Amino acid sequence: MRQHPIENLYAALRAAFPADLDATAIETADSAQPQYYTWRDLERGSAMLANLLGSLDLPAASRVAVHTDKSVEALMLYLAVLRSGHVYLPLNNAYQASEVAYFIGNAEPAVVVCASRNFGWISQLAFQAGTAHVYTLNDDRTGTLLDRAACQSDQQQPVPRGADDLAAILYTSGTTGRSKGAMLTHGNLLSNARVLKEHWAWQANDVLIHALPIFHVHGLFVASHGALLNGSRMIWFNRFDPAAVVERLTEATVFMGVPTLYVRLLAEPGLTRETCSPMRLFISGSAPLLLETFKAWQTRTDHTILERYGMSETTMLTSNPYQPESARRGGTVGFALPGVGLRVHDSKGRPLPAGEIGSIEVKGPNVFKGYWKMPEKTADEFTTDLWFRTGDVGRIDRDGYLTIVGRSKDLIITGGYNVYPAEIEGYVNEMPGVAESAVVGVPHPDFGEAVVAVVVRRPGVALDADGIVAQLKRQIANFKVPKRVFVCDELPRNAMGKVQKAVLREQHRSLFEA
Ligand code: AMP
């Protein structure tokens, strides 16, 4: 692979800004009045925020934890953290106190930024954990972060960074105790962004509809880096609104979504061949795209969705071909991206022939540095010859296409968000009257999978399913709360005494059938 000079990721993105810095870089699509941000605004705004961080005299590579609503200013904050040589730590803004307390305790951020409405509880958690600086940032351009940055200079020289220096930490889930912070370097992110720019053939006139959250690898890295590294304009949605997105398709060329977004768009009568005709590329990832959705999209729009596969620890790994469009195969995630090593091994670490199912392992400049403060866990996830075990199970067919058939770790992906059953079971098992529980994912037409809990009551106790749901809603992010709870007297187990989750999944598989 071609070697690129080592540099700060922001500097590399900045070098791709168009010559006309007064052209629009981002246009907001869901504010009362559209806001237009020029490339100069991104450069100056992120410089001011970087100078604010610089004025705090933080040690190099301090973590900046961000639990805010999506906004262009939040994107500028990300760029500012890169510029200042610190480490960006985005948090899903649905996370609640017990979850945020874990992340702050684990990552020990020097700075925490949150929405004003959450300042009370988040600042309390942060100050208790020793964080010195807590700012607020709202999606209407208000908050103490912007107030404090307003008096800073709008010139800033990005701090030199090596390819191996940390740029971001992405927590792989919201579990208390088990969640792992994937450490991504400037080199990881830049190499992947460059590969995707070429592979998806970003064009000079591209316009991206950005409708994904920016606390996750998909919206923050794949989508934002894609547009920035190509100097392309973004039509920016702070919240996904299918009807409004359909209205803007005629002005755009690239859209990226999780499968749930495609299902919602298909429910819009306005989605037609005509509205999609200027579009060049629809990309899906983060969860399996049902073949049904892939085909429905083709019939309705005349476009073939390009499905790709990646994860927080590695950013993007595989992609269906860009050209010819007819080579994009539904139900598969395509081929390894240039520079990415991909193999499928059996449980004894032996390579499997084409078509056989096994563990997916990967290697490449995009593969993360390890889990934050978990050297043993990191070592466990790499093979002796240093390939990363993705935890996904799949097969590579004779033509080289990878198909993902499942996840070895029972992860549930609902609406593009990851839910680890063990975490939800932990909360349920602590409730009075509960003997044990099992949480599984079952097919759901809208979310891909829905979380379902089966709860065993203690003898002689009456348990209320709605009460369990109500209590969980107070404890954890909404997307993790089971859509249905069943109370029963025992769980199915195998001869070894292990709970048979496959049996539960089967029992409940048609629960949400349309
Ligand atoms: P995350 O770290 O949140 O991005 O989640 C990564 C996991 O999402 C992967 O390990 C896969 O299990 C799953 N995933 C991502 N993209 C796809 C895809 N296109 N098809 C199936 N699963 C996917």
Side-chain angles (χ1 to χ4, degrees):
M1 246 212 1
R2 208 163 72 225
Q3 286 294 313
H4 290 280
I6 288 166
E7 55 195 329
N8 184 308
L9 169 60
Y10 177 78
L13 298 172
R14 171 68 185 82
F17 285 11
D20 179 8
L21 287 179
D22 294 316
T24 300
I26 303 182
E27 172 185 344
T28 61
D30 54 4
S31 45
Q33 289 294 322
Q35 312 275 356
Y36 298 90
Y37 295 81
T38 64
W39 294 96
R40 197 184 304 283
D41 291 335
L42 293 188
E43 161 73 7
R44 291 179 53 222
S46 60
M48 291 160 89
L49 289 164
N51 284 329
L52 171 60
L53 293 173
S55 73
L56 303 177
D57 274 333
L58 306 173
S62 291
R63 275 77 56 213
V64 178
V66 179
H67 180 284
T68 62
D69 299 321
K70 182 179 174 185
S71 67
V72 177
E73 287 70 24
L75 180 70
M76 288 188 195
L77 174 59
Y78 164 59
L79 299 177
V81 174
L82 294 177
R83 291 179 80 139
S84 58
H86 295 305
V87 179
Y88 193 69
L89 168 41
L91 294 174
N92 184 335
N93 58 355
Y95 286 150
Q96 306 216 16
S98 62
E99 296 154 317
V100 173
Y102 169 72
F103 296 124
I104 291 182
N106 187 250
E108 300 176 291
V111 179
V112 171
V113 182
C114 64
S116 297
R117 66 174 186 284
N118 296 322
F119 180 77
W121 62 273
I122 291 187
S123 62
Q124 197 181 4
L125 289 174
F127 294 140
Q128 273 165 5
T131 300
H133 310 278
V134 181
Y135 297 106
T136 58
L137 175 65
N138 305 311
D139 64 1
D140 61 356
R141 302 200 204 192
T142 61
T144 56
L145 184 81
L146 300 181
D147 294 346
R148 289 286 309 278
C151 54
Q152 298 289 333
S153 158
D154 61 6
Q155 305 290 312
Q156 191 261 3
Q157 200 55 40
V159 172
R161 292 282 90 177
D164 205 34
D165 285 326
L166 284 197
I169 296 179
L170 257 54
Y171 276 88
T172 52
S173 76
T175 60
T176 34
R178 289 172 303 272
S179 184
K180 295 164 289 180
M183 300 190 285
L184 293 157
T185 64
H186 284 254
N188 292 149
L189 299 176
L190 186 52
S191 65
N192 208 237
R194 283 181 165 147
V195 164
L196 294 178
K197 177 176 153 71
E198 274 190 37
H199 201 74
W200 292 340
W202 279 84
Q203 320 261 309
N205 62 349
D206 270 333
V207 177
L208 171 78
I209 294 191
H210 194 308
L212 288 162
I214 54 168
F215 50 72
H216 185 261
V217 52
H218 200 165
L220 184 63
F221 301 146
V222 188
S224 307
H225 289 170
L228 293 171
L229 193 62
N230 196 52
S232 288
R233 187 159 68 89
M234 293 188 243
I235 298 177
W236 182 271
F237 286 84
N238 283 346
R239 279 160 290 273
F240 176 68
D241 172 346
V245 165
V246 168
E247 267 180 39
R248 305 304 294 265
L249 287 173
T250 53
E251 296 163 58
T253 61
V254 183
F255 177 80
M256 298 189 192
V258 297
T260 309
L261 301 198
Y262 285 98
V263 172
R264 298 228 174 121
L265 287 169
L266 278 165
E268 287 301 318
L271 182 83
T272 62
R273 267 165 213 225
E274 290 69 42
T275 43
C276 291
S277 65
M279 288 291 297
R280 178 174 74 79
L281 187 56
F282 288 98
I283 296 173
S284 175
S286 297
L289 179 74
L290 293 181
L291 199 52
E292 188 187 315
T293 313
F294 175 86
K295 287 184 180 157
W297 194 267
Q298 246 172 354
T299 313
R300 228 356 220 292
T301 68
D302 228 7
H303 282 273
T304 308
I305 297 175
L306 179 154
E307 186 171 3
R308 95 299 179 277
Y309 157 61
M311 59 200 306
S312 302
E313 289 92 334
T314 62
T315 64
M316 297 305 100
L317 293 164
T318 74
S319 168
N320 265 279
Y322 173 63
Q323 270 183 331
E325 198 169 321
S326 58
R328 298 178 197 162
R329 286 198 194 159
T332 83
V333 293
F335 307 106
L337 286 164
V340 174
L342 173 75
R343 70 187 191 190
V344 173
H345 272 192
D346 70 8
S347 56
K348 298 205 169 69
R350 293 174 304 212
L352 285 169
E356 288 197 23
I357 292 172
S359 308
I360 301 173
E361 297 176 355
V362 297
K363 199 175 184 143
N366 52 312
V367 175
F368 73 138
K369 202 171 169 170
Y371 293 112
W372 174 254
K373 287 205 233 161
M374 291 185 186
E376 280 148 28
K377 187 78 203 158
T378 304
D380 282 352
E381 301 298 330
F382 283 86
T383 62
T384 44
D385 56 349
L386 299 180
W387 288 62
F388 174 61
R389 299 189 171 100
T390 62
D392 291 311
V393 176
R395 66 179 131 77
I396 299 175
D397 67 22
R398 255 182 249 293
D399 300 333
Y401 287 83
L402 175 69
T403 300
I404 296 170
V405 298
R407 295 178 294 272
S408 57
K409 294 163 197 164
D410 257 343
L411 172 74
I412 301 168
I413 302 185
T414 177
Y417 294 134
N418 293 357
V419 178
Y420 289 83
E423 181 197 11
I424 319 303
E425 289 159 9
Y427 282 103
V428 174
N429 294 349
E430 279 181 10
M431 294 182 191
V434 172
E436 62 171 339
S437 63
V439 167
V440 293
V442 302
H444 188 284
D446 198 9
F447 299 109
E449 283 182 290
V451 181
V452 171
V454 182
V455 183
V456 178
R457 66 186 140 222
R458 291 190 185 285
V461 178
L463 271 183
D464 169 22
D466 292 341
I468 293 174
V469 170
Q471 173 149 356
L472 285 173
K473 281 195 170 162
R474 288 191 292 271
Q475 292 176 298
I476 51 176
N478 233 337
F479 69 86
K480 297 185 200 166
V481 175
K483 296 249 173 311
R484 292 288 295 276
V485 170
F486 295 93
V487 176
C488 64
D489 289 317
E490 61 179 336
L491 294 173
R493 290 177 189 277
N494 68 12
M496 305 298 291
K498 286 195 204 299
V499 176
Q500 292 172 297
K501 287 205 167 172
V503 173
L504 292 176
R505 269 186 226 113
E506 201 44 49
Q507 276 171 2
H508 298 295
R509 73 172 300 110
S510 26
L511 209 52
F512 300 99
E513 255 173 23

